[in-house]
Amino acid sequence: MNFLFSAEEEKLRSTVREFLAEHFTDEVRAENTAGRRGEGWGPAIRAFFDTVNEKRWFAWSWPTEFGGGGGDRTAQFVIEEEFYRATGITLGGGTGAPAILSFGTAAQKQEFVPGAIKREIIFCQGYSEPGCGTDLAGIRCRAKRVGDKYIITGQKIYTTNAQNSTHIFLMCRTDPDSVRHRGLSILLVPMDMPGLTVRPLWTVQNDPPAPFGTTYGEERTNEVFFDDVEVPASCLLGDEGGGWEVARRGLNLDRVGAWRYLISVMRDEDIVNWLHGEGELQDSLREDTQVRDKVAEMWTEAEVCRLMTMRSISIEQSGGKFTYEGSAEKVFAPEHSVRTTEAISQILGPFAQLMQGSPAAIEKGVFAHNILGAYQSTINHGSVQVMRDQVARIGLGLPRAAK
Ligand SMILES: Cc1cc2nc3c(=O)[nH]c(=O)nc-3n(C[C@H](O)[C@H](O)[C@H](O)COP(=O)(O)OP(=O)(O)OC[C@H]3O[C@@H](n4cnc5c(N)ncnc54)[C@H](O)[C@@H]3O)c2cc1C
């Protein structure tokens, strides 16, 4: 067991860090933020993406034939850490691409994976529906096979980033007589099809807009409507009726990555960095024993978050199978984020409530916005209650809970 990175990996870390310090300029950062808000990707961020792609850093451990770097997963983790911390950009092909690599036909892999790595193809995740988020067995969105096409009708909700996406990774019911998880399929649907409508679903995070670096701050979520949307049958990923297995595996793979822990742990780094800064408030707070104790306690928890993610990475690297590990991470890290943001709000007192735009807001209100993002992170991508249930059943072998 070796928790340390090799000299080569540490060298890679320095190289990536120096690259980002030079190339992720204020202009690139501003265009990245605008792009994530759905205002379009400007030329500076596009050029930045191209340079990163030439280095194969977006997907260092993915197969070279599909645009990856062919390197190992630990090195990719190092690159991911540096990128997420400095830019908020997650690496890999985003939602969907890992599942396409596992379940796609040769043609689908060629069509989607290189483009997803280059950020030319972006998938949003179309699982949740009104009345069915945790229990996807209740999915009603229907895709009817007619000749060599599917005709889709129904609605999705909380489809994050749909406004920026080129495709939706859609879970729908292809067998109308099926119940629960049987008869569900995954379709890879272009967003520009006639009959497909995206409507914004504004949340507390969007107004006032959160500053850069806030948990889920720049994300917008949506409703997506399908009114007789026709797509070719070749959009089917995996077997018809086998969508549950595709989605389950896809979700597990989507959850693995440095961002998983950093999205929670960067809150600790924010407060420590701020306490190191100059100012009357910082001067008094950093000498306060209760503040120091609390910050140290949260920092210790943050280290646990990182180690849990590293365990998942090493399972992936060794080709092992995930059972409960991703779920355990999805309990601990978001709840840590809630504990940390609450502790920060006690440390900062009334300042913790001032959001972006308020003249007295600290760090543009990032701490106030982070509290909102922390609670959100306990729900999206599978709620912590449901993740606990998976740890109990799959990890600890306990029976299903009585209904
Ligand atoms: C900001 C945001 C972004 C999102 N982005 C996406 C996205 O991009 N794509 C997508 O498909 N979905 C997305 N979601 C949806 C998210 O996955 C669901 O909200 C989540 O799975 C919970 O489902 P629900 O909202 O239907 O709540 P419910 O399933 O009704 O759950 C309500 C509460 O009951 C608890 N609960 C439910 N069942 C059980 C159980 N068996 N045991 C114990 N407790 C239980 C839950 O933990 C939760 O606290 C997003 C959600 C949010 C808030």
Side-chain angles (χ1 to χ4, degrees), residues 319-377:
K321 203 163 177 269
F322 289 102
T323 52
Y324 66 94
E325 295 84 357
S327 308
E329 258 186 88
K330 180 67 183 62
V331 172
F332 195 75
E335 290 192 346
H336 164 74
S337 192
V338 169
R339 284 191 291 275
T340 269
T341 50
E342 283 182 349
I344 293 171
S345 77
Q346 286 166 7
I347 291 170
L348 297 179
F351 287 103
Q353 294 171 31
L354 302 179
M355 303 185 103
Q356 169 133 275
S358 166
I362 295 175
E363 303 282 308
K364 299 189 182 143
V366 74
F367 296 110
H369 287 271
N370 277 335
I371 296 174
L372 304 174
Y375 278 97
Q376 175 181 312
S377 72

Side-chain angles (χ1 to χ4, degrees), residues 103-221:
F103 291 94
T105 60
Q108 284 172 326
K109 287 180 195 172
Q110 263 322 331
E111 183 182 351
F112 292 110
V113 178
I117 290 175
K118 282 192 262 176
R119 295 336 199 220
E120 288 164 6
I121 294 178
I122 298 173
F123 279 96
C124 54
Q125 191 187 76
Y127 294 170
S128 304
E129 296 183 7
C132 123
T134 295
D135 192 3
L136 294 173
I139 278 183
R140 284 180 298 173
C141 182
R142 169 93 174 92
K144 185 174 167 196
R145 179 86 187 239
V146 181
D148 58 357
K149 287 182 191 153
Y150 285 103
I151 301 176
I152 310 164
T153 43
Q155 184 195 343
K156 293 289 164 181
I157 197 167
Y158 294 124
T159 321
T160 303
N161 207 28
Q163 80 282 8
N164 280 329
S165 301
T166 56
H167 292 74
I168 180 165
F169 194 86
L170 181 73
M171 188 187 273
C172 50
R173 200 165 283 285
T174 38
D175 176 357
D177 300 323
S178 61
V179 285
R180 297 202 53 80
H181 300 118
R182 286 178 222 102
L184 295 174
S185 301
I186 297 289
L187 297 180
L188 308 173
V189 178
M191 294 297 285
D192 57 1
M193 301 307 279
L196 191 158
T197 312
V198 176
R199 200 162 71 185
L201 193 64
W202 301 113
T203 70
V204 281
Q205 283 282 74
N206 302 121
D207 185 23
F212 172 79
T214 308
T215 306
Y216 293 115
E218 291 137 15
E219 304 270 344
R220 184 185 109 188
T221 196

